[in-house]
Amino acid sequence: MAEFGEEDLSGSTFDWTDLSGSTFRAASLSNVTIRGTDLHHVKMSGVELWDVDITGEIQGLRINGVDVTDYVEQEVLRREPDLARMRPDDPAGFREAWDLVERRWDGTVERARGLDPELLHEQVDGEWSFVETLRHLSFATAAWVGRAIEGDPAPWHPLDLPWDEAPEGRGFPRDRSVRPSLDEVLEVRRARQSDVRHVVEGLTAEVLASEHTPPDDEGWPPARPFSVKDCLSIVLNEEWWHRTYAERDLAVLETRST
């Protein structure tokens, strides 16, 4: 294995690089950006952790011997009680959750329409622009509803946008250079929302528990069994958090517009 000692690797980029089992001693990780990266079973001791912002799925987080996972979860739910409705267990719960998602997004889109259209292509702190966010949600719906549940091997639209760290060669679009209008993106988006609506309206307990395996090719998600509940739960999670991030960034863009 490679060993680095007293070397300057600042500014480096590690894409699809396996650093599992590595040891960092007296290393500087200041001003580092970590995106789409697994940090399972990490132990940090004698570290200085200042001004750190963590966003993602958090389980078993202990700080100075104190497990803060439940505290963080409860605080998030206190700030946004409706988040609990994004974890339904029955068909009625999924229909209620999707109704809420659509209503919330309607308000967010109207807020975005109040900005100069060019600002909707502008990124805030390196995150997706508003238009890119909608493109990604179209991709997520195509993946987890069109492909995983309905079995379409390639349900993609040219404007669909996968996550930034998605592997190459999977056959789905990933054009970051195009600048479609909000209405162009919403046309695709509404069709995908209709697909979800069709599925949730037809849910029964048996359908929710049933499993589907995506076609065996190089698309996404991979060809292994997923329950309808799992697929729809992923869609709800994507919808909720990306709208949360979009609202956060729209607030910044509104200050720039003035």
Side-chain angles (χ1 to χ4, degrees):
M1 301 299 292
E3 291 191 11
F4 303 95
E6 298 185 10
E7 298 185 49
D8 185 356
L9 299 178
S10 59
S12 299
T13 298
F14 301 92
D15 286 328
W16 289 93
T17 303
D18 188 353
L19 296 175
S20 59
S22 298
T23 299
F24 299 89
R25 288 188 296 267
S28 175
L29 296 176
S30 299
N31 302 311
V32 166
T33 299
I34 301 174
R35 299 175 62 93
T37 298
D38 294 339
L39 288 172
H40 302 168
H41 314 299
V42 173
K43 181 179 180 179
M44 296 184 287
S45 60
V47 299
E48 295 182 5
L49 205 61
W50 299 353
D51 193 23
V52 176
D53 188 357
I54 301 174
T55 302
E57 182 178 346
I58 300 172
Q59 299 182 25
L61 176 61
R62 290 174 294 279
I63 300 177
N64 289 337
V66 179
D67 190 325
V68 300
T69 312
D70 187 61
Y71 166 75
V72 173
E73 175 73 7
Q74 293 305 314
E75 179 62 15
V76 170
L77 289 173
R78 185 190 68 79
R79 296 182 181 187
E80 187 48 86
D82 281 338
L83 175 58
R85 297 166 67 184
M86 295 298 108
R87 303 164 185 173
D89 289 317
D90 56 31
F94 275 95
R95 285 188 279 271
E96 180 185 2
W98 189 247
D99 286 344
L100 176 60
V101 162
E102 288 192 319
R103 289 198 305 273
R104 291 286 187 94
W105 266 111
D106 285 346
T108 300
V109 169
E110 284 307 306
R111 182 179 183 181
R113 287 192 184 279
L115 293 172
D116 184 323
E118 284 302 307
L119 286 175
L120 302 184
H121 294 283
E122 189 169 321
Q123 296 184 341
V124 176
D125 292 333
E127 300 294 335
W128 278 329
S129 70
F130 188 78
V131 167
E132 288 171 332
T133 296
L134 296 180
R135 292 176 59 194
H136 174 67
L137 290 174
S138 290
F139 171 87
T141 304
W144 292 103
V145 175
R147 182 174 152 82
I149 295 178
E150 298 178 347
D152 186 341
W156 320 117
H157 185 280
L159 291 179
D160 289 345
L161 188 65
W163 69 109
D164 286 343
E165 300 79 20
E168 300 286 348
R170 292 299 184 95
F172 41 69
R174 57 192 313 133
D175 191 347
R176 293 292 297 270
S177 65
V178 296
R179 292 171 63 88
S181 69
L182 177 60
D183 286 330
E184 288 174 315
V185 171
L186 285 175
E187 183 177 356
V188 180
R189 165 85 167 142
R190 286 168 181 147
R192 296 286 163 72
Q193 287 177 306
S194 179
D195 292 339
V196 180
R197 170 65 60 185
H198 175 75
V199 172
V200 299
E201 290 296 341
L203 282 180
T204 63
E206 293 73 20
V207 170
L208 197 60
S210 65
E211 291 189 340
H212 299 255
T213 300
D216 188 10
D217 60 22
E218 293 300 313
W220 185 265
R224 64 178 179 84
F226 295 93
S227 70
V228 171
K229 180 182 178 182
D230 287 342
C231 294
L232 292 177
S233 295
I234 291 171
V235 170
L236 289 177
N237 187 67
E238 290 276 317
E239 293 279 347
W240 178 273
W241 288 110
H242 282 296
R243 195 196 71 86
T244 298
Y245 304 149
E247 288 280 345
R248 174 200 65 196
D249 294 347
L250 285 174
V252 175
L253 295 174
E254 285 167 347
T255 64
R256 294 179 183 177
S257 69
T258 58

